[in-house]
């Protein structure tokens, strides 16, 4: 904001040499304002005694009174000045700040409404006006003022320069620009939002979240900052917080359908499929031509077990956007749906269309390849199916990071740390609650079947694949990477009984949001938790761990031809998936040896062949009495989010046990990598048995 230099220099009766003297005195007094406001006030009053019409001195006096905390006097003086100099923005700005500090929002609002009409491109006026509207109980007007401030900030050359540096990867330089700006101006929500994004890009998620929360304290109507915060909260699995912000965002005075999409996404993460469905259907009722929303509705309907509705939704999506690869794959991935020749022709045409585009989305390309593989497999065309699966996996593998050697080294470290003496010396400690039932193993191992059987018991609630144990493990590993501990073993050894109890309680608290009933037990079906068996034993010693195991060829091939939305980076190469399976068998064999009985193994083929006896054995391992409903698991209408969601809604069938054999001629790399794990299955080969 401009200051007194824009105002009349003084009385029209002043002589030239008096005006020069007044200007010099005024400049000297203004220079003392920041550090010596009392001296600046005294100088301003002295000037006004000589030249009562010297308006810059009136402004300086008001500024000094404000800085001295004499707020009522500052407001009175600046209000009078605003009548005399209505065209000077600095007067209204200073009046607004003083009135805001004095708890006079109506006075501040009047000044700021006039100021923002005069200078609509200055963000600070809008943000202060938003705060004063809220102080006066006008929350919607405050929200709109914040949005006007955000819009004005998009033309700020300094912010644009910092944003460009960030986009070019010059994060430290961009951060330095913003630090200098904040030191100079302060209270700048757009700059603070940009600083939070830089923190996120630097890998400091807690600082980014804290920064965005501070931004929204200043400017609750900053919708784009709230959208970004919701995204980071979901990534951090702070789902209740994400939901609160998403529900608030949905009330924005700006009618943005994207806000409903964000809310629906958070609801899906929370397992609130019914509410998400209502939002998607509401959006489509207003605007049907939204292929992505049709796809999202299909995902929800599939999870809810409404297969016909899911098929119809996916068909709507690909009809409206034939190149939408994920929708084609989602349709193909309905295990009880078979695609035909017409679908294959449509997908080939979609690939041809994408080939003509300058930069087609990689996601569309590899999703279409996986879908074509499934379509040819449905038609019994194994060679053509394998060709498409191979290409889809090649494309997907090119875009992800997986180091099989580094992963094997992590398993080596785990077997070296979690020895029998180490575990025996840590029987005390940890959270004693028996609530969690972990179902671990590889994806496509029959874990969803086990989950559905257990979730059909009156004492067990099925949730979903929960990321919380993996997030706790990652946080602990980060302490090693940060140099706090020499290695993984030192970090684990440093955990006291109280530490382990606190971590176990943290896991229960983090997962509580997913428990919708009062059943005493619940299932966490995150397959990758097999890697954290040792940590589970330390922090939740009374939890149940079920190892879902399937024939290595069937399991690995099924994982390889399955495109996973996230998390299974090992599965897109036949050699790497084989190595992963061997590492898994090796670690679980280790725990069988050093902590007998800690893990209960369920062999998929045995469950299929002798269901009732295996179900009774499974329930016994969990400590539950047999209930007939567990044998009629397909009648359970709970939401199931995994790739096997349709299969567990029907009685057990054996069709998929040996389906890999049709592809055996092309699975040489997998067979060779698995080696004796195949020939000795279901026993553990001597090569992987602890000495």
């Amino acid at each position: 904001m401009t200051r007194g230099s824009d105002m009349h220099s003084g009385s029209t009766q002043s002589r030239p040499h008096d005006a020069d003297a007044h200007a010099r005195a005024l400049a000297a007094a203004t220079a003392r304002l920041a550090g010596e406001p009392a001296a600046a006030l005294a100088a301003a009053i002295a000037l006004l005694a000589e030249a009562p019409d010297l308006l810059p001195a009136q402004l300086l006096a008001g500024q000094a009174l404000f800085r001295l905390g004499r707020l009522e006097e500052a407001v009175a003086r600046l209000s009078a000045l605003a009548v005399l100099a209505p065209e000077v923005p600095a007067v209204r700005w200073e009046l607004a700040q003083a009135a805001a500090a004095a708890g006079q929002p109506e006075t501040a609002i009047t000044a700021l409404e006039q100021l923002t009409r005069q200078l609509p491109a200055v963000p600070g006026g809008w943000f202060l006006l938003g705060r004063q509207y809220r102080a006066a109980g006008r929350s919607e007007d405050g929200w709109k003022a914040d949005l006007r401030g955000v819009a004005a900030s998009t033309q700020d050359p300094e912010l644009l320069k910092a944003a460009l540096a960030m986009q070019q990867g010059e994060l430290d330089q961009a951060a330095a620009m913003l630090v200098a700006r904040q030191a100079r101006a302060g209270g700048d929500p757009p700059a603070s939002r940009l600083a939070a994004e830089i923190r996120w890009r630097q890998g400091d998620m807690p600082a980014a979240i804290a920064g965005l929360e501070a931004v929204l304290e200043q400017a609750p109507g900053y919708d784009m900052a709230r959208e970004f915060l919701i995204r980071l909260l979901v990534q951090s699995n702070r789902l209740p917080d994400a939901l609160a912000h998403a529900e608030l965002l949905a009330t924005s005075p700006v009618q943005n359908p994207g806000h409903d999409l964000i809310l629906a996404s958070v609801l899906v993460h929370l397992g609130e499929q019914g509410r998400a469905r209502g939002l998607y259907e509401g959006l489509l009722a207003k605007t049907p031509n939204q292929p992505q929303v049709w796809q999202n509705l299909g995902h929800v309907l599939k999870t809810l077990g409404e297969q016909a509705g899911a098929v119809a939704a996916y068909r709507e999506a690909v009809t409206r956007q034939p190149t939408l690869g994920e929708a084609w794959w989602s349709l193909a991935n309905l295990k009880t749906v078979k695609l035909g020749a017409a679908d294959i022709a449509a997908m080939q045409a979609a690939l041809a269309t994408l080939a003509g585009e300058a930069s087609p989305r990689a996601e569309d390309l590899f999703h279409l390849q996986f879908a074509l593989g499934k379509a040819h497999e449905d038609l019994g065309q194994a060679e053509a199916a394998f060709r498409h699966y191979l290409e889809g996996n090649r494309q997907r593998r090119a875009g992800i990071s997986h180091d099989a050697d580094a992963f094997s080294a992590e398993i080596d470290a785990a077997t070296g740390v979690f020895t029998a003496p180490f575990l025996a010396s840590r029987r005390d400690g940890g959270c004693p609650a028996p609530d969690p039932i972990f179902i671990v193993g590889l994806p496509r191992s029959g874990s969803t079947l086990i989950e559905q059987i257990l979730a059909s018991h009156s004492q067990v609630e099925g949730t979903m694949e929960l990321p919380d144990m993996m997030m706790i493990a990652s946080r602990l590993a980060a302490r090693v990477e940060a140099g706090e501990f020499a290695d993984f073993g030192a970090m684990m050894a440093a955990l006291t009984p109280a530490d382990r109890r606190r971590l176990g309680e943290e896991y229960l608290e983090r997962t509580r949001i997913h428990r919708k009933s009062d059943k005493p037990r619940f299932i966490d079906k995150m397959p990758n938790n097999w890697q954290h068996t040792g940590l589970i034993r330390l922090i939740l010693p009374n939890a149940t761990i079920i190892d879902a195991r399937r024939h290595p060829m069937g399991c690995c091939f099924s994982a390889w031809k399955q495109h996973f939305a996230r998390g299974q980076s090992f599965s897109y190469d036949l050699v790497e998936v084989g190595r992963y399976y061997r590492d898994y068998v090796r670690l679980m064999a280790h725990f069988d040896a050093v902590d007998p009985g800690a893990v209960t193994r369920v062999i998929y083929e045995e469950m299929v062949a002798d269901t009732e006896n295996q179900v009774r054995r499974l329930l016994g391992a969990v400590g539950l009495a047999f209930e007939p409903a567990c044998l009629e698991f397909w009648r359970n209408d709970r939401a199931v989010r995994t790739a096997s969601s349709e299969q567990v809604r029907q009685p057990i069938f054996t069709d998929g046990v040996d389906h890999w054999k049709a592809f055996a001629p092309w699975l040489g790399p997998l067979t060779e990598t698995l080696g004796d794990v195949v020939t000795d299955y279901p026993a553990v080969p001597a090569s992987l048995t602890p000495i």
Side-chain angles (χ1 to χ4, degrees):
M1 294 293 176
T2 56
R3 294 192 182 275
S5 58
D6 293 326
M7 304 177 69
H8 298 296
S9 59
S11 169
T12 56
Q13 284 80 36
S14 296
R15 290 173 294 181
H17 68 274
D18 290 337
D20 290 343
H22 291 161
R24 288 193 297 273
L26 183 67
T30 301
R32 304 179 74 179
L33 178 63
E36 301 175 84
L41 176 62
I45 291 173
L47 275 168
L48 289 169
E50 293 184 17
D53 294 336
L54 189 62
L55 300 187
Q58 293 279 17
L59 175 61
L60 179 61
Q63 291 172 317
L65 287 167
F66 172 45
R67 285 155 180 76
L68 288 167
R70 293 161 62 178
L71 301 178
E72 299 290 341
E73 295 174 73
V75 171
R77 185 177 288 269
L78 291 167
S79 294
L81 181 58
V83 175
L84 296 172
E87 75 285 359
V88 181
V91 174
R92 300 201 184 283
W93 176 246
E94 294 292 339
L95 172 58
Q97 292 190 91
Q104 300 180 28
E106 295 299 343
T107 301
I109 287 169
T110 300
L112 288 164
E113 286 178 337
Q114 294 167 338
L115 178 65
T116 52
R117 281 196 296 270
Q118 188 176 6
L119 296 175
V122 179
W126 289 110
F127 288 120
L128 182 54
L129 178 57
R131 290 196 289 275
Q132 294 312 296
Y133 277 142
R134 284 187 288 275
R138 297 165 61 181
S139 59
E140 184 167 332
D141 287 335
W143 202 318
K144 291 177 180 177
D146 286 344
L147 291 172
R148 291 291 299 271
V150 173
S153 72
T154 61
Q155 304 303 314
D156 187 308
E158 195 173 38
L159 285 179
L160 290 172
K161 186 177 179 181
L164 179 61
M166 179 188 73
Q167 294 294 344
Q168 293 175 339
E170 299 169 353
L171 301 182
D172 291 340
Q173 179 182 339
M177 292 181 197
L178 296 174
V179 168
R181 178 189 174 98
Q182 295 283 60
R184 188 173 65 253
D188 187 346
S192 298
R193 195 220 70 86
L194 189 57
E197 182 171 352
I198 292 169
R199 291 281 197 178
W200 171 67
R201 290 176 182 241
Q202 291 172 328
D204 192 345
M205 181 74 84
I209 290 175
L212 290 168
E213 289 172 336
V215 167
L216 291 167
E217 283 290 323
Q218 289 183 308
Y222 197 162
D223 287 355
M224 288 181 291
R226 199 175 299 279
E227 290 173 22
F228 188 28
L229 175 60
I230 293 166
R231 195 173 100 197
L232 300 193
L233 290 171
V234 170
Q235 290 177 10
S236 303
N237 206 39
R238 287 176 53 183
L239 297 180
D241 293 335
L243 179 61
H245 282 286
E247 288 180 323
L248 181 58
L249 182 64
T251 68
S252 170
V254 176
Q255 296 300 306
N256 184 349
H259 296 163
D260 281 343
L261 288 174
I262 290 170
L263 175 56
S265 176
V266 175
L267 290 169
V268 166
H269 278 89
L270 283 164
E272 299 280 353
Q273 310 292 338
R275 282 187 65 192
R277 172 187 184 168
L279 288 169
Y280 290 139
E281 289 177 338
L283 289 167
L284 291 167
K286 296 175 184 175
T287 312
N289 192 26
Q290 299 186 78
Q292 186 72 51
V293 181
W294 280 110
Q295 175 181 280
N296 292 349
L297 176 60
H299 294 339
V300 166
L301 292 173
K302 172 190 170 182
T303 301
L304 291 171
E306 298 188 24
Q307 183 179 335
V311 170
Y314 291 140
R315 289 285 184 193
E316 287 280 357
V318 298
T319 297
R320 296 168 189 277
Q321 185 179 333
T323 58
L324 188 56
E326 185 182 344
W328 277 113
W329 167 243
S330 300
L331 184 61
N333 196 35
L334 290 167
K335 304 304 181 184
T336 52
V337 170
K338 295 185 181 297
L339 302 184
D343 294 312
I344 290 175
M347 287 187 281
Q348 293 286 11
L351 282 175
T353 299
L354 292 169
E357 295 181 359
S359 358
R361 292 193 336 137
E363 291 85 352
D364 287 327
L365 293 170
F366 64 66
H367 275 123
L368 280 164
Q369 292 291 349
F370 278 103
L372 281 163
K374 176 61 164 53
H376 282 289
E377 183 180 357
D378 288 344
L379 294 173
Q381 299 166 353
E383 185 172 3
F386 185 84
R387 186 170 63 250
H388 285 293
Y389 285 140
L390 187 66
E391 179 60 18
N393 276 287
R394 184 195 67 77
Q395 292 178 9
R396 184 71 178 100
R397 180 66 181 86
I400 59 175
S401 175
H402 176 70
D403 187 333
D405 290 335
F407 185 77
S408 293
E410 291 178 13
I411 302 307
D412 291 340
T415 59
V417 169
F418 295 110
T419 63
F422 181 91
L423 292 169
S425 66
R426 286 162 175 78
R427 296 300 183 203
D428 295 331
C431 175
D435 304 27
I437 302 169
F438 294 93
I439 302 178
V440 305
L442 265 70
R444 313 298 296 129
S445 63
S447 57
T448 304
L449 172 62
I450 296 172
E451 176 193 36
Q452 190 76 346
I453 290 169
L454 289 174
S456 299
H457 196 282
S458 63
Q459 300 299 300
V460 180
E461 180 174 2
T463 58
M464 59 182 76
E465 296 180 356
L466 305 178
D468 303 274
M469 186 59 65
M470 296 179 68
M471 295 181 79
I472 290 172
S474 294
R475 192 178 73 232
L476 292 173
R479 298 174 66 184
V480 179
E481 294 169 6
E484 186 178 347
F485 297 99
D487 54 29
F488 174 74
M491 184 266 294
M492 282 293 169
L495 294 176
T496 66
D499 290 335
R500 300 197 304 274
R501 183 184 185 99
R502 176 180 51 79
L503 289 170
E505 290 172 346
E506 177 190 342
Y507 170 84
L508 291 178
E509 185 58 33
R510 290 172 66 112
T511 56
R512 199 171 307 282
I513 188 67
H514 298 287
R515 301 178 71 174
K516 312 299 183 186
S517 72
D518 59 357
K519 295 180 180 181
R521 312 290 297 278
F522 73 99
I523 300 168
D524 179 343
K525 203 186 75 65
M526 177 60 74
N528 309 68
N529 279 335
W530 67 265
Q531 303 164 32
H532 308 303
T533 299
L535 178 61
I536 294 171
R537 293 294 294 152
L538 290 183
I539 71 174
L540 290 162
N542 295 321
T544 301
I545 304 175
I546 306 294
D547 174 13
R549 187 165 300 185
R550 181 181 172 192
H551 189 283
M553 289 297 294
C555 187
C556 291
F557 173 66
S558 186
W560 178 78
K561 72 187 185 75
Q562 175 78 38
H563 178 261
F564 297 97
R566 66 188 65 84
Q568 311 302 347
S569 60
F570 63 89
S571 67
Y572 301 106
D573 179 276
L574 287 171
V575 171
E576 289 175 344
V577 72
R579 288 189 60 179
Y580 186 91
Y581 191 100
R582 286 186 66 88
D583 281 332
Y584 147 70
V585 171
R586 178 162 64 97
L587 184 64
M588 301 315 285
H590 170 80
F591 279 104
D592 288 345
V594 301
D595 198 4
V599 178
T600 297
R601 186 154 300 111
V602 176
I603 303 298
Y604 174 72
E605 294 79 12
E606 294 175 359
M607 177 64 77
V608 170
D610 186 17
T611 304
E612 181 171 347
N613 285 330
Q614 289 297 315
V615 168
R616 289 180 179 276
R617 172 178 167 269
L618 173 63
L619 293 173
V622 181
L624 297 170
F626 175 76
E627 291 182 359
C630 295
L631 293 177
E632 298 181 335
F633 56 85
W634 65 89
R635 301 187 190 279
N636 188 334
D637 61 358
R638 58 177 286 269
V640 181
R641 296 179 61 178
T642 61
S644 304
S645 60
E646 311 94 81
Q647 292 166 301
V648 297
R649 300 191 192 282
Q650 55 190 297
I652 283 180
F653 61 97
T654 61
D655 297 358
V657 171
D658 293 326
H659 81 283
W660 65 271
K661 291 183 177 178
F663 295 84
W666 305 284
L667 298 180
L670 176 60
T671 305
E672 183 177 346
T673 302
L674 288 170
D676 53 6
V677 169
V678 174
T679 55
D680 289 7
Y681 181 80
V684 177
S687 63
L688 299 182
T689 302
I691 300 174

